[in-house]
Amino acid sequence: MDEGIEGVQAPLWGPQPVQDAELEAVAAAILRQDLDGTRFAGAIRRSIDMLLDGQHTGRFRWEQLYKTEKAHMGTLVEINLQREFGFGDGAVMDYRIVGVDVDCKFSQTPGGWMIPPEAVGHLLLVVWASDIKARWSAGLVRAAPGCLNTGGNRDAKTTLNRAGREAIRWLFREAPLKENMLLGLSPDDADSVFAQKSGQGRVDELFLRAQGRRVSRTVVATVAMQEDYMKRVRYNGGSRSRLQSRGIVILGHYTSHGDIARLLGLPVPQAGDSVSVRLARRQAHHSDAPYIELNGEQWVRALPSDPEETVPKLPEI
């Protein structure tokens, strides 16, 4: 059960004081569960991916969303943070954390959080994230009247003024967000991937054009737009088989694949990730390039001038 903060009078008027015991207690409670921000970042990443719904829509850019969908992002962040951390329901605000009501506010624009009249005087958990920049921030601030702009929109919502923005107690600021690697493709590469008529063809094209980069399950789902999307990656008819003749191997979250990635200087696949790379048989012109052994032969990362050649099947251990 949540324990309240006894003997603390929350400041309701004027700029927030240097010390706000309720605010500091809530900050400590969150940081106890997530000191490095990994869980917070995961909840934000899930919220963005849920909104894009790439598996069913093929969308991967914020600009592809409808206006009404964008407005729903704050609700998804609120829900996914509550699920991740087990925050209780607030009496009048979104959450109750260590006995304190806290309202969750999200904005794609730093400082753009819209604050309703009923939140005045309460603590706000303000969250910002940018999929393009792959960055996010989260902090706590009390919505004291002296920290708010005067006036407001037709719903009487307002925003933090300069004093309010400076009063934010940042928990995490400009922290890394797991990359949506489709945003990092060149327009030509992205167009070539999505120009393929079949889901399998799009996945093949993705691994040809995104070599040396982590490809998440979400990205595969967005490109394949099919229910059993990871089947499009595997051997037995997936990209691993179909790209073998072109020298492409696709590393997954296997111990042996991680060893290969480290030897070749590639990103090590994490759970659900895939990393593709073109290999070539080691020749004199490869000099001292790092190599791996497959079926008794030495293979290196192919140079652009190396011809395509069939590569052995990777062990799946």
Side-chain angles (χ1 to χ4, degrees), residues 42-91:
I44 294 173
R45 179 74 266 168
R46 287 193 297 276
S47 300
I48 295 172
D49 292 340
M50 287 172 66
L51 193 61
L52 290 169
D53 191 20
Q55 180 181 346
H56 300 105
T57 66
R59 300 178 304 190
F60 60 94
R61 295 189 184 96
W62 181 262
E63 295 75 18
Q64 294 171 308
L65 295 169
Y66 294 116
K67 183 178 180 180
T68 51
E69 291 177 308
K70 293 176 182 177
H72 191 49
M73 180 64 182
T75 302
L76 287 176
V77 170
E78 173 195 329
I79 291 169
N80 283 318
L81 287 175
Q82 187 167 32
R83 287 174 176 170
E84 179 64 38
F85 292 100
F87 298 143
D89 288 333

Side-chain angles (χ1 to χ4, degrees), residues 13-299:
W13 304 101
Q16 177 177 321
V18 173
Q19 195 64 250
D20 181 328
E22 286 190 337
L23 185 151
E24 291 301 327
V26 172
I30 293 172
L31 293 174
R32 275 197 299 270
Q33 294 193 67
D34 191 24
L35 186 59
D36 65 358
T38 301
R39 294 175 64 185
F40 216 112
I44 294 173
R45 179 74 266 168
R46 287 193 297 276
S47 300
I48 295 172
D49 292 340
M50 287 172 66
L51 193 61
L52 290 169
D53 191 20
Q55 180 181 346
H56 300 105
T57 66
R59 300 178 304 190
F60 60 94
R61 295 189 184 96
W62 181 262
E63 295 75 18
Q64 294 171 308
L65 295 169
Y66 294 116
K67 183 178 180 180
T68 51
E69 291 177 308
K70 293 176 182 177
H72 191 49
M73 180 64 182
T75 302
L76 287 176
V77 170
E78 173 195 329
I79 291 169
N80 283 318
L81 287 175
Q82 187 167 32
R83 287 174 176 170
E84 179 64 38
F85 292 100
F87 298 143
D89 288 333
V92 290
M93 296 289 101
D94 295 325
Y95 309 141
R96 193 155 182 83
I97 306 172
V98 291
V100 181
D101 263 28
V102 179
D103 214 32
C104 181
K105 294 298 173 192
F106 174 84
S107 176
Q108 269 236 320
T109 304
W113 307 286
M114 300 303 297
I115 303 164
E118 60 269 24
V120 175
H122 289 280
L123 288 183
L124 307 177
L125 175 61
V126 292
V127 183
W128 163 84
S130 169
D131 206 11
I132 293 176
K133 295 180 179 179
R135 289 287 183 273
W136 65 279
S137 298
L140 292 163
V141 65
R142 189 171 294 280
C147 291
L148 305 176
N149 285 310
T150 56
N153 64 10
R154 62 184 180 184
D155 297 323
K157 291 182 179 180
T158 185
T159 54
L160 294 173
N161 59 21
R162 181 176 178 178
R165 294 192 298 273
E166 291 177 350
I168 295 172
R169 198 288 201 192
W170 292 107
L171 303 173
F172 311 99
R173 196 165 190 183
E174 292 284 334
L177 182 68
K178 186 172 183 180
E179 178 194 27
N180 175 355
M181 59 82 57
L182 289 171
L183 293 174
L185 293 179
S186 70
D188 286 346
D189 283 342
D191 289 345
S192 294
V193 169
F194 285 96
Q196 307 303 311
K197 294 183 178 180
S198 70
Q200 184 63 68
R202 291 190 292 273
V203 175
D204 291 350
E205 194 71 15
L206 174 68
F207 284 116
L208 283 169
R209 292 178 176 269
Q211 293 182 41
R213 302 181 64 174
R214 287 193 184 97
V215 176
S216 69
R217 292 173 60 94
T218 300
V219 168
V220 174
T222 300
V223 170
M225 286 185 277
Q226 295 172 338
E227 291 302 318
D228 190 7
Y229 50 88
M230 289 307 291
K231 182 178 180 181
R232 308 303 156 196
V233 180
R234 303 175 190 133
Y235 286 113
N236 299 320
S239 295
R240 281 198 173 106
S241 299
R242 291 163 60 90
L243 298 178
Q244 270 185 278
S245 63
R246 302 193 63 175
I248 303 288
V249 295
I250 301 174
L251 308 175
H253 192 223
Y254 298 99
T255 299
S256 62
H257 292 200
D259 293 340
I260 289 170
R262 280 184 282 269
L263 282 169
L264 296 180
L266 294 164
V268 177
Q270 305 302 308
D273 288 345
S274 303
V275 178
S276 63
V277 63
R278 188 167 75 89
L279 301 181
R281 285 183 177 85
R282 188 183 182 208
Q283 305 291 340
H285 69 272
H286 293 126
S287 186
D288 58 353
Y291 64 89
I292 61 171
E293 289 198 6
L294 296 172
N295 290 2
E297 294 183 295
Q298 296 176 348
W299 295 80

